């Protein structure tokens, strides 16, 4: 919808609302539709006198989590987030992260990798990511997962059922390990 506000002879405020879609919008002053106090008419305008970008589309992207070259498991809570993002409108993509999809980091300029600290405890960890563009469009949050296992495995080896000595050249080894 279009509304025109203001009084007097110097200016008017034109408000556009409920614009849908994404693209470029131009506004022109048509010939003889405006005049000054002396009665001089506005000249025809061959091209839009002002253009601006309409962006109603949120950025999109992907997230994966790694610890070194391993994308399935990590032994440390500090991991690397690998990110992609695209925006078809205003650009200027920002990103933010969360371990619980409730409490979020501050917005930061987009980068293809980002160091992140996982939440406390062992097990499957989920990191949420959200993108935002210059027009203020925010994406829905998406997530990636990795399994955190910082417990060091323990184990033991016994020879011939726990014997301390053997006279033979053949032995039976028993390997036991706990994770």
């Amino acid at each position: 919808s279009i509304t025109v506000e203001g009084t007097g002879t110097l200016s008017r405020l034109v408000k556009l609302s409920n614009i849908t879609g994404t693209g470029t919008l131009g506004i022109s002053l048509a010939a003889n539709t405006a005049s000054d106090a002396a009665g001089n008419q506005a000249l025809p305008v061959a091209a839009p006198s002002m253009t601006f970008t309409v962006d109603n589309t949120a950025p999109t992207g992907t997230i994966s989590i790694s610890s070194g070259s391993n994308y399935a498991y990590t032994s440390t809570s500090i991991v690397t987030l690998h990110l992609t993002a695209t925006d078809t409108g205003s650009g200027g993509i920002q990103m933010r992260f969360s371990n619980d999809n409730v409490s979020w980091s501050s917005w930061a300029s987009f980068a293809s990798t980002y160091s992140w600290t996982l939440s406390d405890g062992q097990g499957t960890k989920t990191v949420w990511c959200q993108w935002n563009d210059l027009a203020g469009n925010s994406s829905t949050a998406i997530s990636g997962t990795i399994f955190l296992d910082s417990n060091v495995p323990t184990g033991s080896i016994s020879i011939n059922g726990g014997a301390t000595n053997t006279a033979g050249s053949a032995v039976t080894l028993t390997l036991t390990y706990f994770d």
Side-chain angles (χ1 to χ4, degrees):
S1 65
I2 300 173
T3 58
V4 179
E5 297 175 359
T7 60
T9 59
L10 296 179
S11 67
R12 295 287 187 269
L13 175 64
V14 177
K15 289 186 178 181
L16 306 173
S17 57
N18 300 319
I19 299 172
T20 60
T22 296
T24 302
L25 180 63
I27 299 175
S28 304
L29 183 61
N32 302 318
T33 58
S35 62
D36 62 17
N40 298 311
Q41 296 292 316
L43 298 175
V45 177
S49 58
M50 179 176 193
T51 61
F52 58 94
T53 301
V54 176
D55 180 3
N56 290 309
T57 305
T60 60
T62 63
I63 181 174
S64 59
I65 308 169
S66 74
S67 177
S69 62
N70 191 340
Y71 283 81
Y73 295 93
T74 183
S75 61
T76 177
S77 62
I78 299 173
V79 295
T80 301
L81 307 179
H82 300 269
L83 308 154
T84 65
T86 58
D87 184 56
T88 59
S90 57
I93 299 172
Q94 293 185 313
M95 58 189 185
R96 67 179 184 169
F97 305 99
S98 173
N99 283 322
D100 59 8
N101 201 20
V102 175
S103 298
W104 290 88
S105 67
S106 297
W107 289 105
S109 295
F110 175 77
S112 60
T113 59
Y114 194 81
S115 181
W116 183 253
T117 302
L118 300 171
S119 60
D120 292 336
Q122 304 291 308
T124 300
K125 299 296 176 179
T126 301
V127 178
W128 297 88
C129 181
Q130 189 177 32
W131 293 272
N132 191 30
D133 65 17
L134 289 175
N137 300 308
S138 294
S139 69
T140 56
I142 65 166
S143 64
T145 60
I146 194 165
F147 192 88
L148 174 59
D149 180 4
S150 59
N151 294 328
V152 177
T154 59
S156 62
I157 302 173
S158 71
I159 301 174
N160 292 339
T164 56
N165 297 305
T166 183
S169 59
V171 295
T172 301
L173 296 176
T174 302
L175 307 170
T176 308
Y177 121 75
F178 304 97
D179 188 13

